[in-house]
Amino acid sequence: MMRERIGWSFSIWLIALFFNLLLAITLWGVLDTAPTLFLASLSLLATLVAAHRNKFEIALDVNTLRVGRAEIERKFLGKATPLDRNEWRLERGYKLHPAAFLALRSWISTGVKVEINDPQDPTPYWLISSKKPNELATLLNKRGA
């Protein structure tokens, strides 16, 4: 029904590549070229692995909502509210419930708050970063879809 993949932003990639370049230059000042290239390659590989592991996907189908590795059946979902930049800032700040499930990415300034209606679950709501909060909230609020 809906899929949204969220990875690193362009600015985070630039910062990561800058630090890799800075490390390579620093190493090159104290080591020969071959060890520097080897260690810089390892650093770049670690950056790529970190980027891959920090990516998450929002997937919504008829029965379930998946955000990263977390999954919940739609029958336990309550009202979904799209949050603009200001509402998102407030929900992540002083309005945040300590037991809420958080799937946040700091570089995304909008999201969705999804209430949880499961008496067995102490989590009051999910707060999910999304580049398409209106679309996600609309689909979550459709019953029987």
Side-chain angles (χ1 to χ4, degrees):
M1 245 171 100
M2 179 190 172
R3 274 197 200 303
E4 181 180 357
R5 288 196 174 102
I6 298 178
W8 282 2
S9 68
F10 180 72
S11 59
I12 291 177
W13 273 109
L14 281 179
I15 291 168
L17 293 176
F18 171 77
F19 279 117
N20 276 282
L21 180 62
L22 186 62
L23 177 67
I25 290 170
T26 303
L27 289 173
W28 197 25
V30 294
L31 298 174
D32 288 334
T33 302
T36 298
L37 288 174
F38 175 73
L39 292 172
S41 298
L42 282 179
S43 174
L44 189 57
L45 180 62
T47 300
L48 294 172
V49 168
H52 180 71
R53 290 185 53 90
N54 283 302
K55 193 183 316 182
F56 78 89
E57 180 179 75
I58 301 167
L60 178 66
D61 63 27
V62 176
N63 299 317
T64 58
L65 168 64
R66 279 186 294 112
V67 180
R69 288 184 236 152
E71 184 174 312
I72 188 167
E73 292 180 48
R74 285 186 74 164
K75 67 182 179 181
F76 297 121
L77 300 180
K79 181 181 175 194
T81 308
L83 304 170
D84 64 20
R85 180 182 299 265
N86 291 329
E87 294 167 327
W88 184 244
R89 186 178 50 81
L90 294 175
E91 288 292 340
R92 291 183 317 171
Y94 78 90
K95 286 185 169 183
L96 183 64
H97 190 287
F101 170 77
L102 306 176
L104 308 179
R105 295 299 184 255
S106 62
W107 56 91
I108 297 177
S109 60
T110 56
V112 177
K113 180 179 181 178
V114 184
E115 296 172 3
I116 304 300
N117 295 329
D118 181 2
Q120 301 293 319
D121 191 346
T123 306
Y125 59 86
W126 284 21
L127 205 54
I128 306 166
S129 291
S130 176
K131 295 177 186 175
K132 306 172 192 174
N134 293 322
E135 179 183 343
L136 180 58
T138 300
L139 290 172
L140 284 167
N141 287 325
K142 282 186 179 176
R143 300 296 170 213

